Amino acid sequence: MILRTHTLEHSLLYLGAGLDWEPLHRFSHLCDTFLYVNLFLSLDEVRGALERDLRDNPFLELRGLRVDRHFDETTHFELHTDYRAHLAKAQARLPQAAAREYTRVFSRAMSEPQWLLEADIRRKGTDRRLRLLYMTSEGMASYIALTHYGRYAPKVLVTIQTGCLETPNGLMTDILEHCSKKPDIWVRGFEPDDWDHRNPTLSARDRLYPIPGGDFLFPWQPRGVFVDHGDRNGHGTRHCRAFINPHMQTHLQGLPLPDYGLNGILTTGWASLSTAPAGERHLVVTTRHLDSRIALPPSFQVRHWDSLMPNAGSRCSMRDALEQLRALDASGAYDAIHFTPLGMEDEGLHLDAFLRETHKARMQAVVHRPLDLLDLRKAPARSWACPSEFMATH
């Protein structure tokens, strides 16, 4: 079985993935294949964590598992004929200190047994079919080999708490700078510790991906804590954000949202709201946290998701949150309801259906990041298509 490079462009590639299943229910609207590359975890650890975490999971259903114990990049990747030269060239570009650290960290991985785990997963609530391909391989080398040193690129690249790849203007930036094709989205993140205030992962401006494209609702919680060799069996919390480059920002600005008639989506945040017309009753529904950070016209009433939804601070489906808006609308007490969408990032289809309905009040969803509700934008037919197959048999 061969990992085909051209379909990498429709996938999410997670380097140093650990036991983090969060991307599966945050990016299923953009990708149907999730490539996880990792070292220093055994097949039993990964398989056991996947089975435990997806058992009774409210968002994900594990439908099947298959293991290939003979995985090897040289036989399972569709490699460029010059892939060895690509790897040597990339390593030669590393600063001496970075090259020494790279060798120190990953040299012992040469003796690790390699395997590939393929999981068939259903995204509950949307009925999307997802494929997770989890393999033992080193991140930087895998990226260069899979992409033919930048001839191809994943749609979404994820680097979180690897110790080096998520650093802005660091090793991953250097690699991407020499690639002719780059990911549309780069998700970076870290685990907080005592030196949290000094961590540059989200605060520093990367020269290639300087624009915050999207924040994430609800805590990002993988299995295991990896800072200071913490507990791998518990659940940690990570600070993550999706970044884009100026080209992607321009592209997104050219993609219009659907016309919902009286309803709609405001993409410039709460600053786009003006005082309600005389005699009209306007309601804002948002979180207490956001309410404390925005200045709303005094004529607006405010309700908080925190009181409407018991699990608003942990995680909930957008479908359930929209039911609360329907209940508020049923009273007929409001002429317009402006709200922050509450739910997982991949659930835009529920909001789309909601805004197409007829309500007593005008419904206005309020967002402000370029990637918010990306799956609802009117893109050309092939722009965000997902392939049905990633692996082919020779």
Side-chain angles (χ1 to χ4, degrees), residues 272-290:
S272 58
L273 288 182
S274 57
T275 302
E280 287 202 1
R281 302 155 300 171
H282 285 218
L283 173 68
V284 164
V285 181
T286 188
T287 62
R288 285 193 178 92
H289 175 70
L290 281 178

Side-chain angles (χ1 to χ4, degrees), residues 262-332:
L262 294 177
N263 304 321
I265 300 173
L266 304 178
T267 60
T268 54
W270 294 105
S272 58
L273 288 182
S274 57
T275 302
E280 287 202 1
R281 302 155 300 171
H282 285 218
L283 173 68
V284 164
V285 181
T286 188
T287 62
R288 285 193 178 92
H289 175 70
L290 281 178
D291 186 19
S292 66
R293 301 175 63 185
I294 57 179
L296 292 170
S299 59
F300 286 18
Q301 298 180 49
V302 179
R303 296 287 300 273
H304 294 136
W305 282 121
D306 312 63
S307 59
L308 293 171
M309 298 286 295
N311 53 348
S314 54
R315 61 187 61 202
C316 64
S317 170
M318 189 178 296
R319 184 167 51 185
D320 296 333
L322 293 173
E323 283 301 316
Q324 295 296 323
L325 296 184
R326 289 190 180 93
L328 289 172
D329 182 58
S331 68

